[in-house]
Each structure stands twice: as structure tokens, then as C-alpha cells.
Amino acid sequence: MLRKNSVLARKSARTYGHFIKRTVAMACSAAIVLPMVVTPANAQRGRLPLIRDAETESLLKDYAKPIFKVAGISNSEPEIILVNDKSFNAFVPDSRRMFINIGVLMEAETPGEVIGVIAHETGHIAGRHLVRLRSAAANAQIVSVIGMILGAGAAAAGAAAGSSQAASGGAAAALGAGSVGKRSLLSYQRGEEAAADRAALRYLNATGQSARGMLKTFERMSEQQMFTRKFADPYAQSHPMAQERYNGLLNEAQKSKYFDQPDDYVLQYRHDLVRAKLFAYTSHPSATLRAYPRSDKSPAAQYARAIAAMKSRGKGAVKEIDALIRTQPNNPYYYELKGQALLEGGDPKGAIAPFRKALSIKPNEPQFMVWLGYALVGANNPSYLPEAEKVLKRAIQRDPNSGVAYSQLAIAHGRQGERAEADLATAKGLMVSGEFQSAKRYAARAQKSLKRGSPAWLQADDIVAYKPPNLPNRR
């Protein structure tokens, strides 16, 4: 369509086409997000730095469950995925996944602040904003391309007539058309953000929860925008300014009979533990001890110090974790921590018992199964391998995206002389991590020793034949 037009039009179209790709891939990932959020380097290469933690994921699920129910999406609950990024950000790229940075949990002092974020993102999913935003992006592109064609035509006509003024005017029109289309799309996006905010208020009210936490989030964001908003063009933002969002929600939120409802104390207790845990895992032990000094006797502080001790690989780490277990002997995550400390301290056999205990308290947790399988394999005792294989396969059935489970299963198969099964498990693990070419090589090697047409052979064949989708460029 643009082939017969000027170089200027083609260049402008390419520039705006890149904008549309980025908008659909990134900006239309609707989010409560600070305007100057820093994206990790490896996320820019197409891979977000994801982390797994059973305790944090369980808490987020409990936060989200009532919200999903009143929003009408409980039958197809989105998977909540943790991103190892300390910035305050959450987004949904589609109706199946909700990404939440650990920074949301670390900054939020109350459960209500996190629940408000989840409610907002749920508003995007339930309102089908992502589908409509992609359509709006396409419409904006059409408007801009038409403008660029007309502008480029005027530039070409002016140049042919020897009119530099007409030529430059046409060029300006072509470039301006991209700006008009971009602003139109951003205006649409701001409208969808406001709609998600209003939906979040409805969900919070329907579940008998206060919107104070959600308002507190916008207050914090507004304070951080205090300087930049003086110079920001409000029409060039993908999100309304935080102060506008706060002002738009305050009166409506205060009308709710639940506005003064306090956060559930059990959720607050769990929230405090998770905040301490995330801080301790992502900070140097000395920083953890400064943030949670020995004078702080709270459960959260004791938890953080126990994790810091484990990270320091000190001899007293297990004793400190045992003291933690005595305060709450039915907390499975304390046993998980003890098992991890023993495993990382070079005692995989000793780690088996605490991982078994964690799994006995929470028998359907796949991450505990992975830990137990890891310890059984690491103990290097042939008699443990059949159990390791069994427990790792159970873990994979519940969580097919665990690369660690596949790698440990491959080791278990290999040590039992099951070379083809080991290659197939390795191939599956590589597929999970996105290393498709390496996965194909292992799958092809596995096929040579597997019975043709068997389930294992067919799985290997699927990997060999797999063609990765063409993803939009992300810069």
C-alpha cells in the first residue's frame, strides 16, 4: 500500500509500526505502574526474571480468589506469576496470566494495597480491555497511515512543482499523523485504566473490603510523580496521573460501608512474613540485620534473620530455623527453609526429613515435591531414586513449568540407566526455559531409543516438530 509513496512515508510508517508493536506487546499489557519504571535487562531480551515461592504464591492466590469470583472469572482463574523486580509494577498480557513484581509486596504495608492492585488488573481482564486495546491500536495505525500517505503525497507534489514550502508542509503532516494516532491510542488507554480503577472499587465493595489500600497506592505514586508531573504532557501518558486517579476514586470509595473495614489480621500476619522473606532473600544479610535487628522480636523479623543466617552459610543457621519452627510447628514454609538450608549447606540427606514434613502439612504443593525430589537425588543413594522419580513426576503433573523438576528427573532417570527417558526429561526442561534448539537435539536423541508411536516417542516428536511463535520485538 505504501510502496509507491515517498521515502519519507515509508520511514514514517516503519517508525509508527514499531510504536504499534511495542504498544500491543508492552503498553497494552494493562498495568498499575509508575511512569518511569525500569525494565530489567533480561526482560528487554524477551525474558522476564521470574521467581517461584510457594508461600508468596499462596498468599497472592488467597488475595485474588474472592476478587476473581465477584468479577466472574473464577472458572478460568489467571495464573499469578512473580517477577523478580523491586519496582512497583503489575500487568496482564492476556486473560490467562497476571504478572506481579515482588516490589508490590515489598512496598505494600498492608494486604489491602496488594489486593487493590489485583482488583485493578482483574478489571482489565473482566472488561476484555486487552482485546479492545489491540483493536484500538490497529485503528490508530490506520488513521496514522492515511495521514502519512496524504502528507507524503503533498510533499511529493510540492517537490515536483518546485515548492519547498509545500514539500516541507507535507512532510510535517506525514510526521504529525503518527503523533495524532499515538495520542488517540494513549487517550483510549487512559480511559481503560480509569475503567479498571472503577471496576476495582466494585470488586472491593462486593467482597466487603476497604479501598483504603488502593488509595494509598495512588498516594504513594502521586508523591513520586510530584516533580515530574509539572512537566508531563497529560495527553502523552498511557495512564492517568496518579493524583487524578486518587481524586477520581476518593469520593466513591468513601461511600462504601466497608471503607473503614480493617485488613484481616491473619492476612496481615502472613503479609508481614512474606515481606520479610522477600527482603531477606533479595538483600545482603547485613542489610537484613539492619532492617530487622535482634531487638525486633516479631515473627517477621525472626523469619528474616533466619533467612539471612541461611544465606550466610553460618553454622548456626539450622539452630536459628529450629527456633523459628518451635514458635509455629505447623508452618510448612519453616520446614521448607530448614530443608533448603541443609541442602545448600551440603547435606541433601538431612534435607529429606524437613521437606517430607513440609509436604505432609501441605501435601498438594508441587514446589515442596520438587524440593523433596531434589534432596532425594542429591543424597546419591540408588535406593532413593525410584521415590525421587515418582515425586518429581507428581510435581510436574501439578506444575508442568518447573525446569528444576525436569532437570532432577533427568538425573534420576540417568542414574537408573534410563538414557532415553533422561534425554526426554532434559528436552522438556529446555522447552520450559525457552531453549528450543537444544530441546530439539535432546528430543531427537531420545526418539532413537524410544519405541516408535509410544507416548514418550510422541512427546519427543512434538518437541522436534515445534516451531516457536513469532513474537513482537521488545526493546
Side-chain angles (χ1 to χ4, degrees):
M1 182 173 167
L2 294 176
R3 282 198 302 269
K4 297 182 180 179
N5 291 294
S6 69
V7 172
L8 173 63
R10 291 196 298 271
K11 185 175 180 181
S12 298
R14 285 196 298 271
T15 301
Y16 193 69
H18 174 64
F19 163 75
I20 288 294
K21 282 184 179 180
R22 288 192 66 198
T23 301
V24 172
M26 298 294 290
C28 84
S29 297
I32 288 184
V33 55
L34 296 179
M36 296 297 291
V37 67
V38 178
T39 305
N42 54 346
Q44 294 191 29
R45 292 196 300 269
R47 294 184 186 178
L48 287 170
L50 306 181
I51 62 171
R52 300 299 307 275
D53 179 64
E55 184 174 15
T56 307
E57 290 173 12
S58 177
L59 180 63
L60 289 172
K61 285 178 184 177
D62 288 344
Y63 285 163
K65 199 169 188 66
I67 298 294
F68 289 164
K69 184 176 181 180
V70 298
I73 60 172
S74 58
N75 291 332
S76 55
E77 291 185 3
E79 181 184 7
I80 298 179
I81 301 170
L82 281 170
V83 181
N84 188 16
D85 189 321
K86 291 185 179 181
S87 61
F88 196 101
N89 190 10
F91 64 94
V92 286
D94 49 47
S95 63
R96 297 176 292 103
R97 295 169 296 173
M98 182 182 295
F99 290 84
I100 297 180
N101 283 10
I102 61 171
V104 172
L105 288 146
M106 293 175 72
E107 286 192 38
E109 295 177 356
T110 65
E113 295 170 60
V114 182
I115 293 169
V117 171
I118 292 172
H120 172 92
E121 300 305 330
T122 302
H124 283 303
I125 295 173
R128 303 185 75 247
H129 293 173
L130 300 174
V131 174
R132 293 207 297 269
L133 186 55
R134 290 186 178 96
S135 176
N139 289 337
Q141 186 178 24
I142 291 167
V143 169
S144 297
V145 168
I146 291 172
M148 285 187 287
I149 292 171
L150 295 175
S163 171
S164 60
Q165 184 176 2
S168 62
L175 292 173
S179 177
V180 170
K182 177 178 177 180
R183 283 173 176 256
S184 172
L185 180 59
L186 291 173
S187 174
Y188 179 87
Q189 226 180 320
R190 290 193 298 273
E192 295 290 47
E193 291 301 321
D197 288 344
R198 292 192 298 272
L201 281 184
R202 292 197 304 273
Y203 302 151
L204 292 170
N205 195 57
T207 53
Q209 300 182 88
S210 173
R212 279 186 181 275
M214 185 176 175
L215 291 172
K216 187 173 181 180
T217 294
F218 289 131
E219 277 188 296
R220 184 191 301 113
M221 292 167 65
S222 179
E223 289 170 2
Q224 295 178 8
Q225 291 176 349
M226 193 172 295
F227 176 77
T228 56
R229 71 181 176 217
K230 292 181 182 179
F231 307 100
D233 179 353
Y235 300 105
Q237 308 294 318
S238 63
H239 290 56
M241 298 302 282
Q243 188 62 46
E244 291 178 26
R245 299 171 84 172
Y246 178 86
N247 294 339
L249 295 173
L250 181 59
N251 290 336
E252 194 64 29
Q254 288 177 331
K255 292 178 184 177
S256 171
K257 64 181 180 180
Y258 303 110
F259 186 69
D260 293 321
Q261 179 84 10
D263 284 296
D264 182 280
Y265 75 94
V266 174
L267 289 182
Q268 182 68 61
Y269 179 87
R270 293 171 62 194
H271 182 82
D272 292 341
L273 289 179
V274 163
R275 285 186 77 202
K277 181 179 196 175
L278 292 174
F279 184 91
Y281 269 110
T282 59
S283 305
H284 191 276
S286 61
T288 300
L289 292 176
R290 285 194 299 272
Y292 296 94
R294 295 283 175 189
S295 58
D296 187 345
K297 304 299 182 183
S298 67
Q302 294 178 61
Y303 199 14
R305 291 194 296 268
I307 294 169
M310 180 199 72
K311 289 181 66 179
S312 298
R313 304 277 177 98
K315 293 182 178 179
V318 172
K319 288 183 178 180
E320 194 148 353
I321 297 169
D322 281 337
L324 193 66
I325 289 173
R326 285 193 293 272
T327 67
Q328 204 175 355
N330 290 319
N331 187 326
Y333 308 110
Y334 290 171
Y335 293 101
E336 179 191 30
L337 179 62
K338 181 176 180 179
Q340 184 181 354
L342 290 165
L343 191 62
E344 294 186 3
D347 185 11
K349 185 176 180 181
I352 293 173
F355 286 141
R356 283 198 200 281
K357 181 64 176 179
L359 196 54
S360 71
I361 297 170
K362 199 169 183 182
N364 294 322
E365 175 51 62
Q367 292 184 54
F368 292 169
M369 298 174 194
V370 174
W371 276 122
L372 177 56
Y374 200 124
L376 289 166
V377 170
N380 203 23
N381 185 329
S383 65
Y384 293 161
L385 293 175
E387 183 187 0
E389 181 182 334
K390 182 179 178 180
V391 74
L392 288 166
K393 286 180 176 178
R394 279 179 57 212
I396 290 167
Q397 285 177 343
R398 292 186 170 275
D399 182 4
N401 296 317
S402 175
V404 175
Y406 284 116
S407 65
Q408 293 303 306
L409 180 60
I411 295 171
H413 279 306
R415 288 181 180 173
Q416 295 177 92
E418 299 163 351
R419 182 65 180 271
E421 288 80 359
D423 285 341
L424 181 56
T426 301
K428 290 177 180 179
L430 290 167
M431 286 291 289
V432 167
S433 64
E435 299 177 54
F436 302 125
Q437 293 307 314
S438 296
K440 287 172 179 285
R441 288 196 295 272
Y442 276 96
R445 192 167 77 177
Q447 271 192 307
K448 294 177 181 178
S449 301
L450 294 169
K451 182 180 179 182
R452 187 177 185 85
S454 66
W457 186 94
L458 292 171
Q459 290 170 22
D461 195 55
D462 285 342
I463 294 172
V464 171
Y466 178 75
K467 293 182 179 180
N470 293 321
L471 298 176
N473 292 327
R474 299 176 66 182
R475 296 184 181 178

